[in-house]
Amino acid sequence: MESKQHCCRVLYEASSLGYPNIALIKYWGKRKCPWQDEQFMQHEHPGHYACRRFRVSCNNPINDSLSVTLNNDNMKTYTTILLCQLNNSSPGVNDEKFSGDRMYLNDQEIDMSPRYRRLLHIARTFISNHDPTLGKLFAEDRITFCVITKNFFPTAVGLASSASGSSAFAGALKRLCDKISTRDSSVSYSIPHPTVLARFGSGSGCRSLCDGFALWKSTPIEHCKENEPCAVSIASSQHWTSLHILILVFPFRKGQSSPSKEISSARGMETSLRSSPFVHQLTADGFQSPVKADRITRLTKAILHRDFSTVAEITMTESDELHAICSTSTPVIRYLNRFSETMIQFIRRYNSLQNVICETKDKYYCAYSFDAGPNMFLFCEEPHIAEIFAAILDLFPGTAHESCFLQKPLNEAKQHPHIFDEKLQSLIAEYASSLCSIFEAACDAPHSDRPYLPYVYHSTPGGGVVV
């Protein structure tokens, strides 16, 4: 990159932001791709051809999923894609091993995954069809893509950074292709819908392009249309502004140099689909499980009516079920750690105690969810966010102020101790002691001798990526 101005010329460039999303209804397993099943080859689209060429999944899920997009600016990905013309002096232009396309993540060059090479192949084909001059340069290896990405939050820890990354990549790629596209009606080759592009990069990325609450449909491959969205918004980010989300990143274990998970989501899905008896498999006619379909219907209705208790019940059931599937896979998959499990117990008891304090019955005041990682997503409504955040700080008293990335109303709250109900204070003290024991036994403590959270993020429903 440092010699870019001397060895290449930027012809086009485009950028996009991407944000993560958290699935309330999960998917854990993918349908077969056309190149994996010969009977579907007749339905192949350009994107499916690219999947076959690079031997990667089409990321078509076995069931619908429903998510909420986040909007904290400290949890985002910013991606710029450059289309560059190489000069004769460009390193490697005449080298038979020259691969051309380059990718940089947080200022470090990385190997580009087959998923993203697939997306650039789709774009290369689209550009070549719309601009024969550029197509000739592609054929001569005279132009290449350079992808520059910055991630503003931890990757590969179950915080949906892949969704954020693929949505930013898809947004930038779509904008780049729009700059080159022609109005010539004789050119019939079109680039897939941005949600489909994002899905090809990382399945759940298609939901991050949607405003607010997103539904990603599971569709048999013969019914897929690449020019139509595979994920749609069912309610905007302005529909439920009183819904708050806290994301807790737990401390690293002793001997762990980074927070990265040991088993990727893709590998975990393959293992579970093959071996767990609790996966909701496709029906004989290729459609999703009726259990999942019913939950989608109930959750959609609950979101539209802002029915937090129903949203909480389904969200926690889905999270528990995902990790039950993982624990019954062969070999066993464990994403949760002792912090995760202890905090699950705390939230369950918090809800029970709040029913006593508030004289309600079977009502939920807070909900949790985990993706494929140990870190926790907490959901509540605005009247309870200050109390829950104060409880988190009492449970993890070593958490630094600069580790908390907060929004209204938490970032406006006066710095004074929260006064808890006596019974709740007792519950917090009980779990603070348990977490302290876990911390002392399991974690290195370079920053604090008390349990602390490396990161705490606060969000409300976000607007997705505008393409």
Side-chain angles (χ1 to χ4, degrees), residues 300-426:
T300 300
K301 181 179 178 181
I303 290 170
L304 294 178
H305 288 85
R306 302 181 191 89
D307 175 1
F308 182 79
S309 272
T310 301
V311 170
E313 175 200 349
I314 295 173
T315 297
M316 290 189 288
T317 296
E318 279 284 313
S319 180
D320 292 345
E321 186 174 83
L322 167 62
H323 293 281
I325 288 170
C326 291
S327 66
T328 55
S329 301
T330 304
V332 171
I333 303 167
R334 298 198 188 281
Y335 290 118
L336 305 184
N337 59 25
R338 293 182 66 193
F339 289 112
S340 316
E341 293 160 354
T342 302
M343 286 300 296
I344 287 173
Q345 295 170 15
F346 173 77
I347 295 301
R348 288 173 176 166
R349 289 191 54 189
Y350 173 83
N351 281 317
S352 297
L353 185 57
Q354 285 288 55
N355 275 289
V356 173
I357 295 170
C358 301
E359 298 181 348
T360 53
K361 184 178 180 181
D362 300 329
K363 183 177 178 179
Y364 292 102
Y365 294 83
C366 184
Y368 60 80
S369 185
F370 294 83
D371 274 348
N375 301 308
M376 190 176 214
F377 294 80
L378 291 176
F379 303 85
C380 68
E381 292 194 281
E382 190 155 316
H384 306 286
I385 183 63
E387 177 178 83
I388 291 170
F389 179 63
I392 296 301
L393 294 183
D394 279 8
L395 291 166
F396 295 89
T399 302
H401 174 74
E402 57 269 22
S403 299
C404 300
F405 302 95
L406 308 178
Q407 298 180 339
K408 295 179 181 179
L410 294 183
N411 62 355
E412 296 178 338
K414 294 180 180 179
Q415 299 300 312
H416 58 78
H418 187 89
I419 300 175
F420 296 103
D421 175 272
E422 184 178 342
K423 293 177 181 177
L424 181 53
Q425 185 67 66
S426 177

Side-chain angles (χ1 to χ4, degrees), residues 86-104:
L86 304 173
N87 301 325
N88 289 331
S89 58
S90 300
V93 167
N94 298 312
D95 187 344
E96 292 182 359
K97 297 181 180 180
F98 178 58
S99 59
D101 301 333
R102 314 290 282 272
M103 188 168 190
Y104 296 82

Side-chain angles (χ1 to χ4, degrees), residues 25 63-67 206-207 210-218 229-235 288 296-297 300:
I25 288 184
N63 61 264
D64 296 354
S65 60
L66 206 161
S67 68
C206 64
R207 299 189 306 242
C210 299
D211 179 21
F213 298 86
L215 174 64
W216 176 18
K217 297 288 289 183
S218 169
C230 60
V232 295
S233 173
I234 64 161
Q288 68 176 327
I296 287 285
T297 301
T300 300

Side-chain angles (χ1 to χ4, degrees), residues 67-371:
S67 68
V68 57
T69 304
L70 306 180
N71 76 345
N72 190 308
D73 274 341
N74 292 287
M75 294 186 75
K76 66 183 178 184
T77 302
Y78 187 76
T79 295
T80 297
I81 300 179
L82 309 173
L83 182 62
C84 303
Q85 182 173 358
L86 304 173
N87 301 325
N88 289 331
S89 58
S90 300
V93 167
N94 298 312
D95 187 344
E96 292 182 359
K97 297 181 180 180
F98 178 58
S99 59
D101 301 333
R102 314 290 282 272
M103 188 168 190
Y104 296 82
L105 174 62
N106 295 341
D107 299 323
Q108 298 293 320
E109 185 169 7
I110 61 171
D111 291 333
M112 192 180 301
S113 73
R115 295 181 180 189
Y116 289 122
R117 290 197 181 279
R118 156 181 54 182
L119 290 175
L120 294 184
H121 173 81
I122 294 171
R124 187 176 282 108
T125 304
F126 172 87
I127 292 169
S128 297
N129 275 271
H130 282 260
D131 190 323
T133 300
L134 293 178
K136 184 173 183 294
L137 292 173
F138 271 128
E140 297 172 351
D141 290 330
R142 302 297 308 171
I143 53 176
T144 185
F145 291 103
C146 181
V147 182
I148 304 169
T149 291
K150 183 171 178 58
N151 234 8
F152 287 78
F153 63 110
T155 61
V157 296
L159 292 182
S161 60
S162 63
S164 175
S166 70
S167 63
F169 194 108
L173 197 64
K174 175 65 166 59
R175 287 171 175 156
L176 184 76
C177 289
D178 284 347
K179 290 182 177 182
I180 302 171
S181 63
T182 176
R183 295 181 180 179
D184 184 352
S185 59
S186 65
V187 180
S188 60
Y189 189 95
S190 61
I191 196 162
H193 190 275
T195 58
V196 176
L197 291 175
R199 189 194 87 202
F200 285 158
S202 174
S204 57
C206 64
R207 299 189 306 242
S208 284
L209 286 151
C210 299
D211 179 21
F213 298 86
L215 174 64
W216 176 18
K217 297 288 289 183
S218 169
T219 307
I221 203 71
E222 61 268 30
H223 300 309
C224 287
K225 295 181 180 179
E226 290 191 352
N227 61 342
E228 296 179 358
C230 60
V232 295
S233 173
I234 64 161
S236 78
S237 55
Q238 297 305 306
H239 168 72
W240 199 350
T241 56
S242 63
L243 182 68
H244 289 261
I245 305 128
L246 285 173
I247 302 98
L248 312 183
V249 178
F250 294 124
F252 310 156
R253 299 190 306 272
K254 284 182 178 178
Q256 192 178 26
S257 59
S258 74
S260 298
K261 57 193 177 189
E262 296 175 358
I263 301 174
S264 70
S265 300
R267 186 174 147 214
M269 287 182 199
E270 292 174 1
T271 301
S272 296
L273 197 59
R274 182 179 64 247
S275 60
S276 174
F278 297 118
V279 172
H280 293 288
Q281 300 281 0
L282 293 168
T283 62
D285 54 359
F287 291 94
Q288 68 176 327
S289 155
V291 173
K292 287 286 193 179
D294 178 66
R295 286 180 190 164
I296 287 285
T297 301
R298 288 176 56 217
L299 185 59
T300 300
K301 181 179 178 181
I303 290 170
L304 294 178
H305 288 85
R306 302 181 191 89
D307 175 1
F308 182 79
S309 272
T310 301
V311 170
E313 175 200 349
I314 295 173
T315 297
M316 290 189 288
T317 296
E318 279 284 313
S319 180
D320 292 345
E321 186 174 83
L322 167 62
H323 293 281
I325 288 170
C326 291
S327 66
T328 55
S329 301
T330 304
V332 171
I333 303 167
R334 298 198 188 281
Y335 290 118
L336 305 184
N337 59 25
R338 293 182 66 193
F339 289 112
S340 316
E341 293 160 354
T342 302
M343 286 300 296
I344 287 173
Q345 295 170 15
F346 173 77
I347 295 301
R348 288 173 176 166
R349 289 191 54 189
Y350 173 83
N351 281 317
S352 297
L353 185 57
Q354 285 288 55
N355 275 289
V356 173
I357 295 170
C358 301
E359 298 181 348
T360 53
K361 184 178 180 181
D362 300 329
K363 183 177 178 179
Y364 292 102
Y365 294 83
C366 184
Y368 60 80
S369 185
F370 294 83
D371 274 348

